[in-house]
Amino acid sequence: MDMKAASSEGRTSMCDSIDGGSSNKARCSDPLQSEYCYGNLNILPRPMKDVEKGYTLFEHVVLSVSGLTCVGCENKLFRSLDVIPSVRKLKTSLVLAQAEFDLDLTAGPVSDVVRSIERMTGFSCEIVKSRGQELEVIVTGDVQDFLKQTPPVGVQDMTLVNKQTVRIAYDAKKIGARDLLENCFNVAVCLAAPRPHPALAVGSRHVRSSGYVTLSSAALTIPVLVLAWAPLPSHPVAYGTTSSALATAVQFGVAGPFYPSAIKSLLFTHVIEMNLLIVLSTTVAYVFSIICFAYQVKGQPLSTEGFFQTSTLLVTLIMLGKFVSALARQRAVESISIRSLQGTKAILTELDGGSQKEIDARLLQYGDAFLVAPESRVVTDGIVVSGTSEIDESMVTGELQLLEKVPGSSVIAGSLNSSGSLTVRLTRLPGNNTISDIAVMVDEAKFSKPKVQDLADRVAGYFVPVVIAFTIVTFAVWIAVGKAVRHQTSTISVVKAITYSISVLIISCPCAIGLAVPMVIVIAGGVAAKHGVIFKSAGTIEIARKAAVEVALAPALSLLILF
């Protein structure tokens, strides 16, 4: 039977008949999958036995979290989730900006957990779902009517993404992507542009928002610096009024989000985090400058003038640091993403080598055959039907030599073809192939933490209270020095002590301590994956630094580390 006839017959059976006797629960044909599967659900209901309560239904939930900028944020997220009794097996990742856990559904739905976390932390959370295969389509007609229609056989879920875009989750073993789009809906739909992985999407949004806020803060800060430092004619009240207005905009417009974050962290999770340092240092500098300006307006200037430039410049530098940190983290994640090996286009062909057509790789379906052109990457896993060539599979196996491929040989997604052409029969779809398996394993390693990360977390956790303690000690010492040693008045001593205390707060920002280890884990894991070495945990990376091997032993090393 040729490909067109098979496709036509498949469309008739899949779209026009109702599979009433089938069950979603079926044995997985893929031996790499678990014992049973539910259409390859990423959020997977798993009944678990409880001796006292009987059977309890759990969901495995993955949350994409916007707002994670440092280890303090990750600790706050972890503590907020950890206090919820229905959450089990909790893992968080600063680099991926994700949380992963099992949820006891008898205690409440996932949406309740999301609302609780957003209320306690101020972060924005989104449930990452991957039900079987997914397609995002643009609907030309009324989107609401499209969503209300009875889903075709094989379609598991239809979710509105934005104004005209709908995400369709479907069982690829019951219906193919092209059959679904071409024959199963009453209105015209077309494939939407591909979206990046949730971790990359969240990182991109965070980089953009950080950039806009940093630019806004800089635009408000520069005039304050000019009024404070430029050799301008003396108009202290006019300059002070302008500076106070601009400093107020920076303090509450730019640094405003730090206040609820620090307060919620103290109230809900009892954590003193980095944002508290920012809030204390900038607020003290801003309030002190307002008081100095008020005395100046009254005609009774203090011994130290206000320094609006300090509070505004501090906020701007903090935002610049957060922007650079977010940008570096996003660049690192993008540069080592193993998912970048997944091809976006496929050349659809017939098994007898007939007509060829280039399609989006997301439209491949079971039963398809595709052409692997010379010097191109294999789009997904499959079996060679015709043609001979040599393929570089070092990205998976670690072996540097090319492997010969003949009819009957298996090929791996992402591997690089040499000079020959191959016709390959698809065995696994993009999004559920070897590249996806490797990416999942790499992501799992990012969720784990080495022992040195625990040390860094403890240092960062104690750092903020220690800085606050040093600030209080500095304030007390300089008041004593001013009164007993320099014989200054109480007002002058307090003013000097406040300026020195503010300096202690301002120079303290331990974000680099918390970010150092996660950045090493993500870069090491990603680079190793591209060279055929898969680290299944961060602890393995920590141990591997002690290894001393020759380059020739790299393939053997990949197998040792894998297991």
Side-chain angles (χ1 to χ4, degrees):
M1 182 183 295
D2 61 15
M3 185 176 65
K4 294 179 180 178
S7 176
S8 176
E9 181 179 346
R11 285 194 296 266
T12 302
S13 62
M14 286 182 285
C15 295
D16 297 337
S17 64
I18 299 177
D19 188 8
S22 63
S23 171
N24 285 336
K25 182 177 179 181
R27 290 279 182 179
C28 288
S29 60
D30 187 349
L32 295 177
Q33 299 290 338
S34 58
E35 182 179 0
Y36 287 94
C37 69
Y38 291 75
N40 294 327
L41 297 186
N42 189 30
I43 297 181
L44 181 64
R46 294 198 297 271
M48 300 179 67
K49 180 68 176 177
D50 188 302
V51 176
E52 297 179 355
K53 300 179 181 179
Y55 282 102
T56 304
L57 188 64
F58 279 82
E59 272 193 13
H60 185 67
V61 182
V62 178
L63 291 181
S64 178
V65 185
S66 298
L68 292 181
T69 57
C70 64
V71 68
C73 300
E74 184 188 4
N75 288 337
K76 178 168 64 173
L77 175 65
F78 185 91
R79 290 178 182 237
S80 301
L81 282 166
D82 197 40
V83 298
I84 300 176
S86 58
V87 172
R88 313 282 178 83
K89 298 180 181 179
L90 173 62
K91 294 185 291 184
T92 59
S93 173
L94 172 63
V95 174
L96 294 176
Q98 287 184 351
E100 184 176 325
F101 54 89
D102 288 342
L103 180 67
D104 182 358
L105 294 181
T106 59
V110 181
S111 57
D112 289 349
V113 175
V114 171
R115 284 194 296 269
S116 177
I117 293 303
E118 291 179 338
R119 178 176 61 87
M120 289 191 292
T121 63
F123 299 146
S124 176
C125 301
E126 180 182 355
I127 301 173
V128 180
K129 297 182 179 179
S130 180
R131 300 193 172 189
Q133 293 291 117
E134 289 186 347
L135 287 177
E136 289 191 358
V137 299
I138 299 175
V139 181
T140 56
D142 190 327
V143 177
Q144 295 303 323
D145 289 343
F146 181 84
L147 293 173
K148 291 177 182 178
Q149 67 179 308
T150 302
V153 174
V155 173
Q156 299 168 331
D157 188 29
M158 294 193 296
T159 308
L160 184 65
V161 177
N162 53 39
K163 203 170 185 180
Q164 293 294 128
T165 305
V166 174
R167 182 182 294 116
I168 301 175
Y170 66 99
D171 187 346
K173 295 180 180 179
K174 293 183 178 181
I175 187 169
R178 297 193 306 281
D179 297 331
L180 179 65
L181 298 187
E182 295 173 3
N183 301 284
C184 293
F185 297 112
N186 296 327
V187 298
V189 295
C190 60
L191 198 61
R195 290 176 178 267
H197 187 263
L200 297 178
V202 170
S204 297
R205 289 197 299 268
H206 180 57
V207 169
R208 286 196 299 269
S209 62
S210 298
Y212 294 147
V213 173
T214 303
L215 287 176
S216 302
S217 182
L220 295 171
T221 299
I222 290 175
V224 178
L225 300 180
V226 171
L227 293 176
W229 295 338
L232 300 174
S234 178
H235 297 288
V237 176
Y239 295 162
T241 302
T242 303
S243 297
S244 63
L246 294 173
T248 301
V250 171
Q251 189 66 34
F252 296 102
V254 178
F258 295 132
Y259 287 87
S261 175
I263 293 172
K264 288 180 178 179
S265 180
L266 281 174
L267 292 179
F268 294 111
T269 61
H270 309 293
V271 174
I272 300 176
E273 61 171 16
M274 314 295 183
N275 286 340
L276 186 61
L277 275 181
I278 299 173
V279 167
L280 288 176
S281 58
T282 58
T283 302
V284 171
Y286 170 75
V287 172
F288 181 73
S289 299
I290 290 290
I291 293 174
C292 290
F293 177 61
Y295 273 96
Q296 189 175 42
V297 172
K298 286 179 61 178
Q300 302 174 357
L302 299 175
S303 59
T304 300
E305 296 182 354
F307 35 81
F308 290 111
Q309 70 276 13
T310 300
S311 62
T312 55
L313 184 59
L314 175 60
V315 172
T316 301
L317 291 177
I318 289 172
M319 295 310 304
L320 179 62
K322 287 182 174 292
F323 171 70
V324 172
S325 174
L327 184 62
R329 185 175 63 183
Q330 182 68 5
R331 291 280 178 86
V333 173
E334 289 177 349
S335 64
I336 53 82
S337 176
I338 195 70
R339 292 181 176 89
S340 62
L341 296 175
Q342 175 64 63
T344 59
K345 297 292 183 181
I347 302 176
L348 192 65
T349 185
E350 297 182 5
L351 294 177
D352 58 3
S355 61
Q356 299 176 1
K357 179 183 179 182
E358 185 177 77
I359 62 171
D360 193 298
R362 293 173 292 170
L363 295 179
L364 287 171
Q365 58 190 37
Y366 288 116
D368 283 345
F370 60 91
L371 179 70
V372 182
E375 307 298 333
S376 66
R377 290 194 180 273
V378 179
V379 69
T380 192
D381 299 351
I383 302 294
V384 176
V385 177
S386 63
T388 59
S389 184
E390 292 182 329
I391 287 185
D392 178 8
E393 295 182 350
S394 59
M395 48 79 64
V396 174
T397 64
E399 298 180 1
L400 300 179
Q401 66 181 30
L402 299 179
L403 300 179
E404 184 180 7
K405 298 297 178 180
V406 297
S409 302
S410 61
V411 292
I412 301 175
S415 55
L416 184 62
N417 187 25
S418 57
S419 57
S421 295
L422 299 174
T423 300
V424 178
R425 179 173 57 82
L426 176 148
T427 57
R428 300 181 70 186
L429 297 174
N432 188 29
N433 53 25
T434 301
I435 291 177
S436 303
D437 294 341
I438 296 175
V440 170
M441 294 178 68
V442 172
D443 290 345
E444 285 294 325
K446 295 171 189 173
F447 273 107
S448 62
K449 293 183 179 181
K451 293 180 181 179
V452 69
Q453 178 67 54
D454 294 334
L455 175 61
D457 290 349
R458 286 199 299 271
V459 171
Y462 286 116
F463 191 86
V464 177
V466 169
V467 168
I468 294 175
F470 274 125
T471 301
I472 297 173
V473 170
T474 302
F475 180 76
V477 167
W478 278 104
I479 287 181
V481 169
K483 294 283 291 182
V485 178
R486 297 183 177 181
H487 306 291
Q488 297 171 335
T489 64
S490 298
T491 302
I492 296 176
S493 298
V494 170
V495 169
K496 291 292 184 182
I498 290 176
T499 56
Y500 292 131
S501 301
I502 292 173
S503 300
V504 173
L505 285 174
I506 285 173
I507 64 173
S508 306
C509 186
C511 291
I513 298 176
L515 284 173
V517 177
M519 290 299 292
V520 170
I521 297 301
V522 66
I523 294 174
V527 172
K530 284 190 173 182
H531 290 80
V533 181
I534 307 301
F535 291 99
K536 298 182 71 173
S537 69
T540 308
I541 298 178
E542 190 174 23
I543 297 172
R545 68 183 175 85
K546 301 177 182 179
V549 296
E550 298 294 333
V551 176
L553 297 179
L557 178 63
S558 68
L559 294 178
L560 288 173
I561 294 179
L562 179 60
F563 296 103

